Amino acid sequence: MSSAVADLERVVKEIAEEMRQRTDRGEPASYIPELANVDTGSFGLVVIDNDGTVAAGGDADMPFSIQSISKVFTLTLALGKAGDRLWKHVGREPSGSAFNSIVQLEYEHGIPRNPFINAGAIAVTDRILSGHQPKEALGEILRFVQFLADDSSIAIDRTVAESERRTGFRNIALANYMKSFGVIENPVDYTLGVYFHHCSIVMNCRQLAMAGRYLAHSGRNPATGHRVVTPERARRINAVMLTCGHYDGSGEFAYRVGLPGKSGVGGGILAIAPGKASIAVWSPGLDAYGNSHLGRIALELLTKRLGWSIFGA
Ligand code: GLN
């Protein structure tokens, strides 16, 4: 075993142990009833480096709801279908407001600021849906995630999707509001149905880190040899993750962690160290911005100890 691999494995185990012992764990997402009861005691971390070495710590195999992390995969899929025309329907500037905020939409004529806030992700989902039945679009998204992770066992938790549909009043408002500007093309119920379901995809840290490898390696998953996107597109998706992946906590995440990353209210974060590694972390307790509290702290420690921040060691 090379000393770099030994270091990586040691650092991952150390961080998992440090996180297990912490008492400040954040609060689970209470606005989705199915997620409100998740135990905040869990913590998992997986790093896959460029040689394919998998360093795992804590609850690396425990499945969780990926929620908004799915927005990275739907953005990739929608760019593949629509190319740069996608940017007519959604911007790529940080919003500086909460993930479910509606305020900017009125000023900006129903065009969401970026593909990672809820409004933007709903608009992207609508693009994927156009020309298809909701079932087909959802099947396509799920198969794409399975392909990225090279794992056909990945599935959707329909109870979580149903729970969100019943209580998703904000998202319903956002979608209807965008529909009034003609930004949403399909029936709002259909677009939201696909959106709630792709947010309810269940993965563990191992699968998620594997699915993110194309972003760490110029658009190609080195494990399967599959080219997913061009190097330019991978670079650009990473840029949007860096600037928008943590909503109004994106500046703080860049400041502390220094990597492109995307969080979800299930407590997961996918972070990319370009050219070096794909990283998945999960701890269900959230901070005030709806990002994993210990997940962010763990990534900060990891990039510091390994010198992996894109801004310098
Ligand atoms: N499905 C969630 C929602 O729409 C996703 C939000 C998130 O993970 N930040 O509210």
Side-chain angles (χ1 to χ4, degrees):
M1 190 192 294
S2 77
S3 70
V5 169
D7 278 353
L8 176 64
E9 291 183 342
R10 179 181 46 77
V11 168
V12 165
K13 294 266 187 264
E14 268 169 20
I15 293 175
E17 181 53 26
E18 284 166 39
M19 294 303 111
R20 196 182 61 76
Q21 288 177 15
R22 283 184 77 129
T23 50
D24 58 321
R25 307 198 72 87
E27 295 298 322
S30 53
Y31 76 101
I32 302 176
E34 261 320 289
L35 297 182
N37 305 320
V38 176
D39 175 13
T40 55
S42 311
F43 176 88
L45 174 62
V46 169
V47 180
I48 308 184
D49 74 4
N50 48 11
D51 299 326
T53 302
V54 180
D59 302 308
D61 296 300
M62 208 178 269
F64 60 91
S65 190
I66 67 167
Q67 290 296 318
S68 286
I69 303 169
S70 62
K71 297 171 182 176
V72 174
F73 309 130
T74 48
L75 172 64
T76 305
L77 196 57
L79 281 170
K81 280 171 175 280
D84 283 340
R85 276 175 297 132
L86 182 72
W87 301 117
K88 282 203 236 138
H89 301 262
V90 62
R92 45 175 191 264
E93 290 296 336
S95 69
S97 40
F99 64 91
N100 55 6
S101 169
I102 199 166
V103 283
Q104 268 164 355
L105 271 183
E106 178 156 27
Y107 293 123
E108 298 177 1
H109 313 290
I111 309 278
R113 267 289 171 100
N114 69 63
F116 292 153
I117 50 173
N118 285 9
I122 293 167
V124 168
T125 301
D126 187 67
R127 292 289 88 206
I128 297 173
L129 174 58
S130 284
H132 301 278
Q133 290 302 314
K135 251 196 180 139
E136 293 166 355
L138 188 60
E140 187 179 7
I141 296 168
L142 181 62
R143 278 191 302 277
F144 184 59
V145 173
Q146 292 172 337
F147 158 78
L148 292 175
D150 196 24
D151 188 337
S152 58
S153 71
I154 294 168
I156 292 170
D157 185 336
R158 289 178 192 276
T159 324
V160 172
E162 230 1 87
S163 172
E164 203 181 341
R165 191 202 282 277
R166 273 199 314 275
T167 55
F169 305 112
R170 284 239 185 182
N171 288 325
I172 295 166
L174 289 169
N176 278 293
Y177 199 62
M178 288 189 287
K179 179 88 179 167
S180 76
F181 287 96
V183 172
I184 299 288
E185 189 176 89
N186 298 283
V188 164
D189 276 0
Y190 286 15
T191 303
L192 284 173
V194 176
Y195 171 78
F196 290 142
H197 281 81
H198 74 63
C199 286
S200 302
I201 291 174
V202 175
M203 293 169 92
N204 60 36
C205 287
R206 228 177 263 279
Q207 293 166 323
L208 187 58
M210 180 70 176
R213 290 194 79 193
Y214 72 104
L215 293 170
H217 302 288
S218 305
R220 207 179 130 269
N221 182 342
T224 57
H226 291 138
R227 168 154 301 286
V228 181
V229 291
T230 61
E232 178 180 67
R233 185 157 288 161
R235 193 169 70 237
R236 289 176 162 176
I237 294 170
N238 284 335
V240 183
M241 286 171 75
L242 181 79
T243 52
C244 311
H246 285 72
Y247 320 110
D248 41 345
S250 298
E252 184 70 5
F253 188 82
Y255 180 84
R256 293 192 174 278
V257 177
L259 295 179
K262 181 74 207 82
S263 69
V265 290
I269 302 176
L270 172 65
I272 304 299
K276 294 196 173 73
S278 173
I279 307 160
V281 65
W282 169 61
S283 177
L286 308 179
D287 63 18
Y289 303 113
N291 301 317
S292 175
H293 174 67
L294 290 184
R296 203 267 294 143
I297 293 173
L299 288 171
E300 182 177 358
L301 294 174
L302 186 84
T303 52
K304 212 185 260 178
R305 289 179 195 175
L306 297 170
W308 276 3
S309 163
I310 60 169
F311 301 108

